[in-house]
Structures are given as C-alpha cells and as structure tokens.
Amino acid sequence: MARYSSRHGHLTRRLFQLYAGLALYGASSALLVRSGLGLEPWNVLHQGLSERTGLSMGLVLTLVGAAVLLLWIPLRQRPGLGTVSNVLVIGAAMDATLTVVPEAHAMAVRVLLLTAGIVLNGAATGLYIAARFGPGPRDGLMTGLNQRTGVSVRLVRTAIEITVVVTGFLLGGTVGVGTLLYAVAIGPLAQLFLRAFAVPSASDGSTVVAAGQPGRAILRS
C-alpha cells in the first residue's frame, strides 16, 4: 500500500510539473511578445505567420506544432504524453496571457518583461523536461533528422533555427536583442532549473535529470 501511494504521488508530481511547465512556457513566450524586444526562434516564425494570416499567435503555434508532429511519421519518432500536451497547452496559455498582459511602451517595462520572460522560460523548460513525458514536437524533429541523416544534433538544430528565424523575420516576426539574449541565457537557465526540478525515481528515491547538453533537450515553442 505504501509503495502504491509512493508511486501515485510520484506520478502526480510528474504530471503537475508537465502541465505547469507547459502553461508557464506559454506565459513566458507571451511576456517576450509584449516586450517587443525579440522572440525565441520558433516564435519569430509564429508571430510572422500570425501577422500574415490574422490568426492568434497561440493558434498558429498549435497548428505549426501539429504540422511538425506529422513530420515525425516518416522519421519514425514516437510521441509521448508531453509531446501531444505541448501542442495543445502552450498555445492556449500564450493566448490567455496575451489577453491579460497589455502592450508595454516604457523601455524600463519592456526590459522587465523581457528579463522575466527569459527567466520564466528557463524555469518552465526545467519543469517540463524533468517530468520526462517525451520531447516537444520541434525537439523530436531535430533528433529524428539527426538519427535519419547522421548529421549532428548541433548542426541540425542550427539549420532549423536559422531557417525559422529568417522565414519568420521576412513574414514580419520580431527579431531583436531579446532573441540574442534568449539564445545565450536559455541553456544555463535550463540546466539550473532541470537540477532544481529533478523528479526522484519512484523506486529508489534518487533524482534523475535530462542527460546530455541542455540545449539538446530544450523545449521549442
């Protein structure tokens, strides 16, 4: 009975971290949008598509995530609960946050929103990945291409992110100092929060964190 209770509590914690992380990720991305100082790579694309289609950024994020997930089929990647939840939750959380956080005009407020967005994004990344329910659709695309082509993860990731940033910028997405700061800060922040939110193993109580370089596991919204 005690073992069942321990496992139930372990699963409950993991599920809480999963959905809290996804919701906070969407909220953090919305703060970066409101700062107007630059977005993370995939959201440059999402914002550009939003500008062109008239759809909300959250809805575009969801649709792009679903489209990327379809690319997993030829790559023979298997989605987890976290993968599907990523597609459904982050966009909704972003749109909800955008409705309650107004546009900022004062530079001090914009810098504050940028800083808060990047730090919160790192915390959300740590929560989500440490829950271990599967990668986001964009990370699965990256690792799937690595496995199928033999090209290094770093090169695949760089090529994908340059492509989405350039495409998003040409469509009207915001590229700025925030984009650069995000690229520099998110790796160390993710590593810090991965360790802080590591979930103890259900069997022996030891903690498990994502292996390898944090940049390889980072959730891309």
Side-chain angles (χ1 to χ4, degrees):
M1 186 66 180
R3 180 175 296 179
Y4 171 80
S5 177
S6 175
R7 289 181 178 176
H8 180 74
H10 178 261
L11 178 60
T12 299
R13 172 177 171 176
R14 290 177 62 208
L15 287 169
F16 174 80
Q17 286 199 195
L18 169 66
Y19 290 106
L22 293 175
L24 290 175
Y25 197 101
S28 69
S29 294
L31 296 182
L32 294 177
V33 172
R34 289 300 188 226
S35 79
L37 296 174
L39 302 174
E40 58 268 59
W42 277 95
N43 274 335
V44 175
L45 176 62
H46 299 149
Q47 188 181 52
L49 289 171
S50 175
E51 292 288 334
R52 295 289 181 169
T53 63
L55 300 175
S56 70
M57 270 194 72
L59 180 55
V60 170
L61 186 153
T62 300
L63 294 175
V64 171
V68 171
L69 193 55
L70 290 177
L71 296 177
W72 281 34
I73 297 174
L75 295 175
R76 299 178 182 176
Q77 296 287 93
R78 294 183 178 181
L81 174 64
T83 310
V84 178
S85 298
N86 178 298
V87 174
L88 299 175
V89 175
I90 294 179
M94 174 187 282
D95 277 348
T97 305
L98 287 173
T99 62
V100 298
V101 177
E103 293 185 10
H105 301 287
M107 182 55 68
V109 177
R110 295 172 67 190
V111 170
L112 180 62
L113 287 172
L114 173 65
T115 304
I118 292 175
V119 174
L120 185 59
N121 195 280
T125 298
L127 277 168
Y128 167 81
I129 295 176
R132 305 193 312 278
F133 277 108
R138 297 154 187 82
D139 284 327
L141 174 64
M142 176 182 65
T143 56
L145 287 171
N146 161 252
Q147 293 168 8
R148 298 290 287 177
T149 66
V151 178
S152 70
V153 168
R154 179 175 297 179
L155 184 57
V156 170
R157 175 182 166 186
T158 300
I160 290 175
E161 295 196 352
I162 289 176
T163 300
V164 299
V165 167
V166 171
T167 303
F169 177 73
L170 292 175
L171 291 172
T174 304
V175 177
V177 64
T179 308
L180 177 61
L181 288 176
Y182 180 90
V184 171
I186 193 60
L189 285 172
Q191 185 64 64
L192 171 65
F193 286 110
L194 276 167
R195 296 188 181 280
F197 297 128
V199 180
S201 170
S203 57
D204 60 14
S206 62
T207 57
V208 179
V209 296
Q213 296 298 320
R216 296 187 180 184
I218 288 174
L219 171 73
R220 295 293 172 190
S221 69

